[in-house]
Amino acid sequence: MTRTNRAPESDPHSRAVAGLRDAFGAGPGGSPDPVVAVAPGRVNLVGGHTDYNDGLCLPLAVDRHVAVAARLRDDDVIRARATDFGETATFAPHDDPAGWAAYVAAVARVLREDAALPGADLAIASDVPSGAGLSSSAAIELAVGRALLGVAGRKMATTDLALACWRAEREGVGVECGILDQFAAGLCEPDAALFLDCRSREFEHVPLGGDVGILVIDTGVSHELADSGYNDRVRECREAVAALDEVADTDLQSLRDVDFDLLERHADALGDTHYRRARHVVSENERVKSAREALSAGDFDVVGDAMLAGHESLRDDYEVSCTELDAAVELAAETAGVYGARMTGGGFGGSAVALVAESALERAEREIRAAVADRVSPKADVFACRPSGGVRLVQPE
Ligand code: GLA
């Protein structure tokens, strides 16, 4: 897939609106302005690979977005234009398109299970780098979902839309992911992280305050969840729960029900690999709890330590990092003003995220930028971002 960074010519919103007009015409006479929805990419400060284990995580949305401009049709067909790479897909409700259009079709299919949804012309534009572990796919799903509901005049709570998009990703695309990405792209608020309990699906916005900033180091190593060991990790966690459940006194549904004490007492029931996978999840949930408290108290050193410890655990126990991600985290950690860094997203490539003192942000970005090609990868990139809000409809300009 072509890797896209911030388009120099215009923002995704304007490109989506122009793309709709260019691909499908101005619409029937007197046609109203298109509905436009935007949804953000995300980073995850702490809580890697905990979501499908009913665990805890602490993502925030970044100010990189997917925009979808939409206009109603008078049949049930969807025509979707990917403006960034000039492709158009046309499909009826029961068609099964491949590639990027699979995300659009899967969201439409899940939304149509609840109530009839008319056809629509859509144009999609994005400045969320794809394959960079910033969850461009959830941003597409949420923006498409909100736009389709918008043209149909249907309302849906954002939590329900996020769950619909999560089902679309699992059923339509075949990744056994948890709810992290869709909830982050749906429910984040500007200047706050989202503390999310993936079991109860309760969440809380944790304000970041103005004293910290976020740097993303995109390693340039592409990350394709479906081809990676992601589903292997999901399976290994399930196997670890089954093995522990055989020997434990209490009923275990998921690794969320396992604490250090139980894990150590029954370590013999697990082989080395399964033991380390479980240890990562158990320790990562604890790190999310301490990072959430520290973030609320403005104690960024503690948050940074949780990020660094989380990275080590993802690297050594969970084995989802790679040399470029390790190098990015090491480079960030030795840069003045950086509290902590870790890989974000599924792993095996993609991006690292660093938490940086606001006063040091520009200098840290410059220093890291000067070193990434040598230290991380010739294709690596670094950019600062602001914590952004989740999916929303945008008023016409
Ligand atoms: C991917 C998945 C998420 C989550 C992260 C790892 O982004 O889509 O559900 O599991 O990896 O935390």
Side-chain angles (χ1 to χ4, degrees):
M1 189 181 289
T2 319
R3 298 178 65 83
T4 52
N5 281 317
R6 195 183 287 277
E9 69 276 23
S10 61
D11 61 281
H13 178 179
S14 314
R15 278 188 287 126
V17 172
L20 189 71
R21 191 190 50 233
D22 295 348
F24 305 123
S31 174
D33 285 323
V35 165
V36 182
V38 297
R42 64 97 190 90
V43 293
N44 190 16
L45 291 180
V46 194
H49 289 267
T50 50
D51 60 347
Y52 52 83
N53 289 299
D54 284 346
L56 306 172
C57 46
L58 195 64
L60 56 86
V62 296
D63 53 350
R64 297 281 187 120
H65 295 92
V66 170
V68 175
R71 191 177 286 131
L72 202 59
R73 290 173 60 87
D74 55 12
D75 57 15
D76 58 5
V77 165
I78 291 182
R79 285 193 299 180
R81 173 77 172 173
T83 59
D84 297 328
F85 37 97
E87 284 176 21
T88 303
T90 302
F91 47 90
H94 297 292
D95 291 347
D96 221 355
W100 60 272
Y103 293 92
V104 182
V107 171
R109 197 175 310 122
V110 172
L111 293 179
R112 278 174 162 147
E113 284 173 11
D114 278 349
L117 197 65
D121 287 337
L122 308 175
I124 305 167
S126 170
D127 65 0
V128 185
S130 61
L134 301 181
S135 198
S136 56
S137 59
I140 291 174
E141 290 154 6
L142 269 290
V144 164
R146 189 47 96 210
L148 286 175
L149 293 168
V151 285
R154 265 175 67 190
K155 294 208 181 318
M156 183 179 276
T158 307
T159 313
D160 292 334
L161 176 59
L163 285 171
C165 291
W166 170 63
R167 278 190 47 217
E169 172 106 23
R170 291 169 62 96
E171 292 164 17
V173 190
V175 179
E176 295 191 61
C177 62
I179 62 172
L180 163 70
D181 301 340
Q182 288 77 19
F183 270 59
L187 293 154
C188 278
E189 282 187 356
D191 298 317
L194 183 79
F195 172 75
L196 175 62
D197 182 329
C198 299
R199 169 168 271 174
S200 67
R201 293 173 183 163
E202 287 171 348
F203 56 88
E204 178 196 312
H205 299 286
V206 187
L208 247 69
D211 296 338
V212 276
I214 303 293
L215 282 181
V216 170
I217 307 171
D218 175 1
T219 62
V221 179
S222 234
H223 125 112
E224 296 289 342
L225 286 185
D227 301 341
S228 72
Y230 188 90
N231 284 353
D232 291 340
R233 294 297 178 279
V234 177
R235 177 182 44 78
E236 287 163 354
C237 288
R238 227 182 268 135
E239 289 166 354
V241 176
L244 289 169
D245 189 47
E246 290 268 304
V247 292
D249 305 332
T250 48
D251 187 29
L252 305 178
Q253 300 293 327
S254 69
L255 285 176
R256 178 70 181 276
D257 300 319
V258 177
D259 60 17
F260 278 122
D261 180 52
L262 191 148
L263 180 63
E264 292 310 320
R265 257 187 301 131
H266 299 296
D268 291 349
L270 301 174
D272 175 60
T273 301
H274 287 79
Y275 169 76
R276 286 184 295 112
R277 304 297 189 248
R279 183 168 63 182
H280 164 72
V281 175
V282 172
S283 63
E284 188 76 347
N285 282 329
E286 292 304 314
R287 282 186 285 274
V288 176
K289 287 184 208 158
S290 74
R292 170 214 196 176
E293 270 179 36
L295 203 57
S296 303
D299 191 345
F300 303 122
D301 284 318
V302 171
V303 183
D305 288 348
M307 292 171 76
L308 290 165
H311 184 77
E312 283 178 18
S313 179
L314 287 160
R315 183 191 64 199
D316 301 336
D317 275 355
Y318 218 65
E319 297 180 283
V320 288
S321 188
C322 62
T323 49
E324 293 86 353
L325 280 170
D326 295 343
V329 169
E330 197 180 295
L331 172 61
E334 68 192 41
T335 303
V338 172
Y339 292 110
R342 45 160 267 151
M343 53 159 276
T344 188
F348 309 103
S351 298
V353 54
L355 188 71
V356 189
E358 178 70 30
S359 57
L361 194 62
E362 268 182 42
R363 187 186 35 72
E365 182 182 354
R366 239 187 355 261
E367 286 178 18
I368 294 174
R369 181 182 302 286
V372 279
D374 273 357
R375 296 273 304 270
V376 177
S377 150
K379 290 183 290 182
D381 187 20
V382 56
F383 58 89
C385 52
R386 300 249 23 109
S388 164
V391 68
R392 57 202 174 268
L393 287 174
V394 185
Q395 297 309 319
E397 284 170 329

mmCIF file of all heavy atoms in Angstrom, residues 42 44 47-52 133 135 169 175 177-182 223 225 230 342 345-347, ligand 1:
data_model
loop_
_atom_site.group_PDB
_atom_site.id
_atom_site.type_symbol
_atom_site.label_atom_id
_atom_site.label_comp_id
_atom_site.label_asym_id
_atom_site.label_seq_id
_atom_site.Cartn_x
_atom_site.Cartn_y
_atom_site.Cartn_z
ATOM 1 N N ARG A 42 -5.057 7.317 15.953
ATOM 2 C CA ARG A 42 -4.822 7.277 17.396
ATOM 3 C C ARG A 42 -3.421 6.749 17.727
ATOM 4 O O ARG A 42 -2.797 6.042 16.929
ATOM 5 C CB ARG A 42 -5.862 6.409 18.110
ATOM 6 C CG ARG A 42 -5.844 4.921 17.744
ATOM 7 C CD ARG A 42 -5.076 4.046 18.706
ATOM 8 N NE ARG A 42 -4.893 2.691 18.182
ATOM 9 C CZ ARG A 42 -3.864 2.332 17.461
ATOM 10 N NH1 ARG A 42 -2.930 3.212 17.129
ATOM 11 N NH2 ARG A 42 -3.731 1.088 17.037
ATOM 12 N N ASN A 44 -1.562 4.890 21.323
ATOM 13 C CA ASN A 44 -1.946 4.291 22.602
ATOM 14 C C ASN A 44 -0.782 4.509 23.562
ATOM 15 O O ASN A 44 0.323 4.029 23.312
ATOM 16 C CB ASN A 44 -2.226 2.798 22.380
ATOM 17 C CG ASN A 44 -2.859 2.138 23.585
ATOM 18 O OD1 ASN A 44 -3.364 2.822 24.484
ATOM 19 N ND2 ASN A 44 -2.836 0.817 23.618
ATOM 20 N N GLY A 47 -1.088 0.128 27.443
ATOM 21 C CA GLY A 47 -2.185 -0.825 27.280
ATOM 22 C C GLY A 47 -2.134 -1.480 25.921
ATOM 23 O O GLY A 47 -3.115 -1.456 25.168
ATOM 24 N N GLY A 48 -0.983 -2.059 25.574
ATOM 25 C CA GLY A 48 -0.810 -2.725 24.291
ATOM 26 C C GLY A 48 -1.246 -4.176 24.366
ATOM 27 O O GLY A 48 -0.842 -4.924 25.251
ATOM 28 N N HIS A 49 -2.102 -4.586 23.445
ATOM 29 C CA HIS A 49 -2.587 -5.969 23.348
ATOM 30 C C HIS A 49 -3.349 -6.404 24.595
ATOM 31 O O HIS A 49 -3.385 -7.586 24.918
ATOM 32 C CB HIS A 49 -1.424 -6.930 23.040
ATOM 33 C CG HIS A 49 -0.910 -6.767 21.637
ATOM 34 N ND1 HIS A 49 -1.366 -7.511 20.593
ATOM 35 C CD2 HIS A 49 0.004 -5.909 21.126
ATOM 36 C CE1 HIS A 49 -0.743 -7.127 19.472
ATOM 37 N NE2 HIS A 49 0.095 -6.151 19.783
ATOM 38 N N THR A 50 -3.949 -5.438 25.264
ATOM 39 C CA THR A 50 -4.807 -5.779 26.408
ATOM 40 C C THR A 50 -6.275 -5.829 25.999
ATOM 41 O O THR A 50 -7.079 -6.465 26.668
ATOM 42 C CB THR A 50 -4.672 -4.715 27.520
ATOM 43 O OG1 THR A 50 -4.846 -3.431 26.919
ATOM 44 C CG2 THR A 50 -3.310 -4.790 28.192
ATOM 45 N N ASP A 51 -6.629 -5.132 24.902
ATOM 46 C CA ASP A 51 -8.072 -4.946 24.621
ATOM 47 C C ASP A 51 -8.791 -6.258 24.357
ATOM 48 O O ASP A 51 -9.870 -6.499 24.890
ATOM 49 C CB ASP A 51 -8.303 -3.910 23.503
ATOM 50 C CG ASP A 51 -7.682 -4.241 22.159
ATOM 51 O OD1 ASP A 51 -6.842 -5.171 22.086
ATOM 52 O OD2 ASP A 51 -8.037 -3.565 21.158
ATOM 53 N N TYR A 52 -8.187 -7.171 23.575
ATOM 54 C CA TYR A 52 -8.885 -8.436 23.307
ATOM 55 C C TYR A 52 -8.728 -9.423 24.463
ATOM 56 O O TYR A 52 -9.193 -10.550 24.394
ATOM 57 C CB TYR A 52 -8.419 -9.055 21.979
ATOM 58 C CG TYR A 52 -6.911 -9.206 21.851
ATOM 59 C CD1 TYR A 52 -6.252 -10.295 22.391
ATOM 60 C CD2 TYR A 52 -6.165 -8.244 21.184
ATOM 61 C CE1 TYR A 52 -4.877 -10.436 22.270
ATOM 62 C CE2 TYR A 52 -4.794 -8.363 21.062
ATOM 63 C CZ TYR A 52 -4.149 -9.464 21.608
ATOM 64 O OH TYR A 52 -2.786 -9.592 21.486
ATOM 65 N N GLY A 133 0.499 1.959 11.992
ATOM 66 C CA GLY A 133 0.088 1.605 13.354
ATOM 67 C C GLY A 133 -0.704 2.703 14.036
ATOM 68 O O GLY A 133 -0.854 2.701 15.254
ATOM 69 N N SER A 135 -3.832 3.313 13.188
ATOM 70 C CA SER A 135 -5.215 2.901 13.041
ATOM 71 C C SER A 135 -6.001 3.717 12.017
ATOM 72 O O SER A 135 -7.102 4.193 12.280
ATOM 73 C CB SER A 135 -5.918 2.965 14.398
ATOM 74 O OG SER A 135 -7.071 2.209 14.320
ATOM 75 N N GLU A 169 -14.755 -4.569 11.285
ATOM 76 C CA GLU A 169 -13.329 -4.901 11.111
ATOM 77 C C GLU A 169 -13.101 -6.399 11.314
ATOM 78 O O GLU A 169 -12.395 -7.042 10.546
ATOM 79 C CB GLU A 169 -12.487 -4.101 12.114
ATOM 80 C CG GLU A 169 -11.021 -4.500 12.164
ATOM 81 C CD GLU A 169 -10.081 -3.501 11.502
ATOM 82 O OE1 GLU A 169 -10.454 -2.332 11.375
ATOM 83 O OE2 GLU A 169 -8.976 -3.913 11.125
ATOM 84 N N VAL A 175 -9.565 -9.523 11.091
ATOM 85 C CA VAL A 175 -8.596 -9.351 12.174
ATOM 86 C C VAL A 175 -9.348 -9.506 13.484
ATOM 87 O O VAL A 175 -10.380 -8.876 13.692
ATOM 88 C CB VAL A 175 -7.945 -7.946 12.110
ATOM 89 C CG1 VAL A 175 -6.966 -7.770 13.256
ATOM 90 C CG2 VAL A 175 -7.232 -7.758 10.783
ATOM 91 N N CYS A 177 -9.340 -8.265 16.249
ATOM 92 C CA CYS A 177 -8.903 -7.158 17.100
ATOM 93 C C CYS A 177 -9.879 -6.917 18.245
ATOM 94 O O CYS A 177 -11.008 -7.379 18.245
ATOM 95 C CB CYS A 177 -8.787 -5.896 16.254
ATOM 96 S SG CYS A 177 -10.350 -5.383 15.527
ATOM 97 N N GLY A 178 -9.407 -6.160 19.235
ATOM 98 C CA GLY A 178 -10.271 -5.702 20.316
ATOM 99 C C GLY A 178 -10.874 -4.353 19.955
ATOM 100 O O GLY A 178 -10.782 -3.896 18.807
ATOM 101 N N ILE A 179 -11.443 -3.671 20.967
ATOM 102 C CA ILE A 179 -12.219 -2.456 20.687
ATOM 103 C C ILE A 179 -11.398 -1.171 20.746
ATOM 104 O O ILE A 179 -11.922 -0.088 20.500
ATOM 105 C CB ILE A 179 -13.423 -2.317 21.649
ATOM 106 C CG1 ILE A 179 -12.949 -2.190 23.118
ATOM 107 C CG2 ILE A 179 -14.383 -3.477 21.486
ATOM 108 C CD1 ILE A 179 -14.074 -1.858 24.097
ATOM 109 N N LEU A 180 -10.102 -1.283 21.100
ATOM 110 C CA LEU A 180 -9.273 -0.088 21.303
ATOM 111 C C LEU A 180 -9.400 0.950 20.182
ATOM 112 O O LEU A 180 -9.700 2.124 20.435
ATOM 113 C CB LEU A 180 -7.805 -0.518 21.448
ATOM 114 C CG LEU A 180 -6.741 0.554 21.275
ATOM 115 C CD1 LEU A 180 -6.759 1.518 22.442
ATOM 116 C CD2 LEU A 180 -5.361 -0.066 21.151
ATOM 117 N N ASP A 181 -9.136 0.538 18.950
ATOM 118 C CA ASP A 181 -9.019 1.502 17.858
ATOM 119 C C ASP A 181 -10.345 2.199 17.565
ATOM 120 O O ASP A 181 -10.393 3.414 17.379
ATOM 121 C CB ASP A 181 -8.530 0.810 16.574
ATOM 122 C CG ASP A 181 -7.182 0.141 16.775
ATOM 123 O OD1 ASP A 181 -6.489 0.514 17.731
ATOM 124 O OD2 ASP A 181 -6.860 -0.769 15.997
ATOM 125 N N GLN A 182 -11.420 1.423 17.513
ATOM 126 C CA GLN A 182 -12.718 2.012 17.165
ATOM 127 C C GLN A 182 -13.216 2.916 18.299
ATOM 128 O O GLN A 182 -13.819 3.959 18.039
ATOM 129 C CB GLN A 182 -13.744 0.908 16.844
ATOM 130 C CG GLN A 182 -13.505 0.204 15.507
ATOM 131 C CD GLN A 182 -12.360 -0.803 15.557
ATOM 132 O OE1 GLN A 182 -11.949 -1.248 16.637
ATOM 133 N NE2 GLN A 182 -11.834 -1.170 14.396
ATOM 134 N N HIS A 223 3.071 -2.306 8.364
ATOM 135 C CA HIS A 223 2.538 -3.219 9.346
ATOM 136 C C HIS A 223 1.208 -3.670 8.816
ATOM 137 O O HIS A 223 0.337 -2.865 8.544
ATOM 138 C CB HIS A 223 2.489 -2.434 10.657
ATOM 139 C CG HIS A 223 1.194 -2.368 11.347
ATOM 140 N ND1 HIS A 223 0.963 -2.974 12.520
ATOM 141 C CD2 HIS A 223 0.045 -1.752 10.987
ATOM 142 C CE1 HIS A 223 -0.273 -2.741 12.882
ATOM 143 N NE2 HIS A 223 -0.843 -2.012 11.987
ATOM 144 N N LEU A 225 -1.747 -6.083 9.824
ATOM 145 C CA LEU A 225 -2.182 -6.941 10.936
ATOM 146 C C LEU A 225 -2.569 -8.344 10.477
ATOM 147 O O LEU A 225 -2.212 -9.331 11.101
ATOM 148 C CB LEU A 225 -3.392 -6.322 11.635
ATOM 149 C CG LEU A 225 -3.131 -5.112 12.523
ATOM 150 C CD1 LEU A 225 -4.415 -4.713 13.212
ATOM 151 C CD2 LEU A 225 -2.057 -5.397 13.544
ATOM 152 N N TYR A 230 -0.491 -11.139 14.699
ATOM 153 C CA TYR A 230 -1.528 -10.619 15.603
ATOM 154 C C TYR A 230 -2.505 -11.718 16.032
ATOM 155 O O TYR A 230 -2.738 -11.928 17.231
ATOM 156 C CB TYR A 230 -2.269 -9.479 14.912
ATOM 157 C CG TYR A 230 -3.231 -8.750 15.820
ATOM 158 C CD1 TYR A 230 -2.830 -7.654 16.569
ATOM 159 C CD2 TYR A 230 -4.558 -9.169 15.939
ATOM 160 C CE1 TYR A 230 -3.713 -6.987 17.408
ATOM 161 C CE2 TYR A 230 -5.442 -8.504 16.770
ATOM 162 C CZ TYR A 230 -5.017 -7.419 17.492
ATOM 163 O OH TYR A 230 -5.899 -6.764 18.325
ATOM 164 N N ARG A 342 7.211 4.276 23.544
ATOM 165 C CA ARG A 342 6.923 2.850 23.334
ATOM 166 C C ARG A 342 6.315 2.654 21.949
ATOM 167 O O ARG A 342 5.858 3.609 21.308
ATOM 168 C CB ARG A 342 5.976 2.279 24.382
ATOM 169 C CG ARG A 342 4.784 3.155 24.676
ATOM 170 C CD ARG A 342 3.678 2.379 25.313
ATOM 171 N NE ARG A 342 2.768 1.919 24.282
ATOM 172 C CZ ARG A 342 2.044 0.830 24.369
ATOM 173 N NH1 ARG A 342 2.131 0.037 25.405
ATOM 174 N NH2 ARG A 342 1.220 0.500 23.402
ATOM 175 N N GLY A 345 0.075 0.503 18.761
ATOM 176 C CA GLY A 345 -0.608 -0.317 17.761
ATOM 177 C C GLY A 345 -0.208 -1.779 17.850
ATOM 178 O O GLY A 345 0.358 -2.230 18.843
ATOM 179 N N GLY A 346 -0.501 -2.507 16.800
ATOM 180 C CA GLY A 346 -0.319 -3.958 16.810
ATOM 181 C C GLY A 346 1.132 -4.407 16.858
ATOM 182 O O GLY A 346 1.456 -5.467 17.369
ATOM 183 N N GLY A 347 2.047 -3.585 16.305
ATOM 184 C CA GLY A 347 3.463 -3.936 16.338
ATOM 185 C C GLY A 347 3.955 -4.533 15.038
ATOM 186 O O GLY A 347 3.308 -4.365 13.998
HETATM 187 C C1 GLA B 1 -4.214 -3.199 16.860
HETATM 188 C C2 GLA B 1 -5.616 -3.731 17.096
HETATM 189 C C3 GLA B 1 -6.144 -3.262 18.456
HETATM 190 C C4 GLA B 1 -5.166 -3.560 19.574
HETATM 191 C C5 GLA B 1 -3.762 -3.073 19.200
HETATM 192 C C6 GLA B 1 -2.709 -3.512 20.192
HETATM 193 O O1 GLA B 1 -4.246 -1.814 16.722
HETATM 194 O O2 GLA B 1 -6.493 -3.311 16.081
HETATM 195 O O3 GLA B 1 -7.401 -3.871 18.718
HETATM 196 O O4 GLA B 1 -5.164 -4.921 19.915
HETATM 197 O O5 GLA B 1 -3.359 -3.563 17.926
HETATM 198 O O6 GLA B 1 -2.913 -2.890 21.416
#
